[in-house]
Amino acid sequence: MNSDTFVHEWANAYNDQDFHRFGELYTDDITYECGPFGLPFTGRDPFVSHLREYAGAVPDRKFTIERIIADGDTIAVEFGFAGTSSGAHPGLPPAGEPVTARFCSVLQLRGDRIASQTDYLGGQ
């Protein structure tokens, strides 16, 4: 699968809130890091569980892909994130307020799955 197709599948699974399909894109031993939030995870199940939890905080959240850069087994994806806060997470705006951010995710593949992901957060 080429990198554009892979990234669109990744974003579509996230946007569809299909956590099973999204999780299948990762290795069992995925390492994840989002430095600004201090969110390191090791393992597909803990990472996907975190995403399920966050889905309740921003239930209508969507990725919008802006740019894909691929080099061998590494893919960098710049994307926008937007949704509406449910008020369930103390670090987010009050219920009904918009939540927006820009991200860059660096995905390291092993075979046809993501073995590590590092997220860099832009302005909100």
Side-chain angles (χ1 to χ4, degrees), residues 11-46:
N12 290 338
Y14 184 87
N15 289 341
D16 293 345
Q17 297 192 44
D18 186 337
F19 297 107
H20 176 75
R21 189 175 79 192
F22 189 80
E24 288 296 312
L25 296 171
Y26 291 86
T27 62
D28 290 339
D29 61 346
I30 170 72
T31 57
Y32 172 82
E33 181 182 354
C34 184
F37 295 114
L39 294 172
F41 293 96
T42 299
R44 177 177 37 208
D45 292 342

Side-chain angles (χ1 to χ4, degrees), residues 92-103:
L92 294 176
E97 294 293 317
V99 177
T100 60
R102 293 199 58 217
F103 278 87

Side-chain angles (χ1 to χ4, degrees), residues 20-123:
H20 176 75
R21 189 175 79 192
F22 189 80
E24 288 296 312
L25 296 171
Y26 291 86
T27 62
D28 290 339
D29 61 346
I30 170 72
T31 57
Y32 172 82
E33 181 182 354
C34 184
F37 295 114
L39 294 172
F41 293 96
T42 299
R44 177 177 37 208
D45 292 342
F47 176 56
V48 173
S49 291
H50 163 72
L51 291 177
R52 284 181 191 273
E53 180 181 318
Y54 195 74
V58 187
D60 62 345
R61 76 225 184 293
K62 297 287 184 203
F63 281 169
T64 303
I65 297 169
E66 296 173 5
R67 182 165 50 157
I68 301 167
I69 302 167
D71 183 18
D73 292 343
T74 304
I75 304 171
V77 185
E78 290 181 334
F79 60 93
F81 173 95
T84 308
S85 177
S86 70
H89 192 284
L92 294 176
E97 294 293 317
V99 177
T100 60
R102 293 199 58 217
F103 278 87
C104 179
S105 291
V106 178
L107 311 174
Q108 182 65 48
L109 302 181
R110 184 183 322 131
D112 61 352
R113 294 185 185 208
I114 302 166
S116 72
Q117 178 175 334
T118 304
D119 287 347
Y120 300 92
L121 180 63

